[in-house]
Amino acid sequence: GILCGATTNTPALGAAQQMLSQMQLDSNNATLGCALTYPLGVVGVILGIIAVRKLFARPSDIPQPDAEHKKNIFIVEFKISNPGVVGKSIRDVAAYSHHHFVISRLWRAGQVSIPTSDSTLESGDLVLVITSPDDVQALELLFGERVQKDWNTHDIDWNALDSQLISRSIIVTAPKSTAANSARCVCETCTASTSAGCIVRAYNCSPRPISRCNWATA
């Protein structure tokens, strides 16, 4: 029982109990010995691995996969004031620049939204850009004015920041929909029609009830 518990080998304990029963001997002691040593067999292996790591592994040998990644990521806010990008879509602005960036938030008239590549930039818009530290100065020339706020701290409440956003998917099917007569829906700019129905992706819409959509067929 002690051997089976130390090696966490319960099948061997079962075989030993069966053998003891056939020999008409008491098998309770074997069960008790296994119950006492089984936790040590589990915890002992874990403690042994920790001890080996502490004794033989140096901190410099342990890889830090996120260190280099965090070093190359920088979040910065810009105010659109460059006339060259006003009225242009994010896709067009990205095509003009050879710097890599992602616009994760856009504020317009106090409303926050998650822009798409087709979203247009207007004068006075505030955009939250994810880029590398080396590209910040070039992007400041591209977008306009840099807002002096540190977005790279750990105390930013992103849930409160995104409290105005709505993430919702609605699938509307038309009973008489055919390839020539497909369903179409109109709800701000959040539309996508297919021959089988209309899919509205409301994650980029302003926080308004979906009931304000005007449904039509074409």
Side-chain angles (χ1 to χ4, degrees):
I2 294 175
L3 176 63
C4 294
T7 58
T8 64
N9 192 346
T10 51
L13 176 64
Q17 288 177 327
Q18 184 177 4
M19 181 62 66
L20 291 173
S21 298
Q22 292 177 357
M23 297 175 62
Q24 297 182 353
L25 297 176
D26 186 15
S27 62
N28 292 330
N29 291 333
T31 305
L32 180 60
C34 180
L36 292 176
T37 56
Y38 194 95
L40 297 178
V42 176
V43 178
V45 174
I46 298 175
L47 294 178
I49 295 175
I50 295 176
V52 169
R53 182 175 180 179
K54 292 291 185 181
L55 292 175
F56 299 102
R58 297 174 299 179
S60 58
D61 297 332
I62 301 175
Q64 302 292 335
D66 295 335
E68 189 67 22
H69 177 71
K70 292 180 179 179
K71 187 188 302 183
N72 295 327
I73 295 298
F74 193 81
I75 305 175
V76 61
E77 182 180 354
F78 295 106
K79 182 178 181 180
I80 303 300
S81 59
N82 182 8
V85 299
V86 173
K88 291 183 171 57
S89 65
I90 296 177
R91 179 188 291 108
D92 295 336
V93 174
Y96 297 152
S97 175
H98 63 276
H99 300 282
H100 299 285
F101 64 89
V102 174
I103 299 179
S104 64
R105 305 290 190 282
L106 186 147
W107 286 271
R108 179 176 298 167
Q111 297 292 330
V112 60
S113 64
I114 300 178
T116 65
S117 58
D118 295 325
S119 300
T120 58
L121 300 177
E122 301 296 339
S123 179
D125 287 350
L126 297 176
V127 291
L128 194 63
V129 179
I130 303 174
T131 183
S132 63
D134 298 334
D135 294 334
V136 172
Q137 186 174 1
L139 293 179
E140 184 176 357
L141 297 176
L142 177 65
F143 292 112
E145 179 184 351
R146 176 180 175 181
V147 178
Q148 298 301 323
K149 180 178 180 179
D150 188 5
W151 289 92
N152 299 278
T153 59
H154 298 285
D155 57 350
I156 296 178
D157 190 355
W158 293 99
N159 292 327
L161 179 67
D162 297 336
S163 60
Q164 300 179 9
L165 298 177
I166 297 176
S167 179
R168 186 178 301 171
S169 297
I170 300 177
I171 300 178
V172 180
T173 58
K176 298 181 180 180
S177 175
T178 60
N181 185 19
S182 61
R184 178 172 58 87
C185 63
V186 180
C187 177
E188 300 296 330
T189 58
C190 310
T191 59
S193 60
T194 63
S195 59
C198 178
I199 301 176
V200 180
R201 301 191 182 278
Y203 57 81
N204 194 33
C205 290
S206 58
R208 300 176 181 176
I210 297 300
S211 59
R212 295 193 58 175
C213 295
N214 298 319
W215 304 102
T217 57

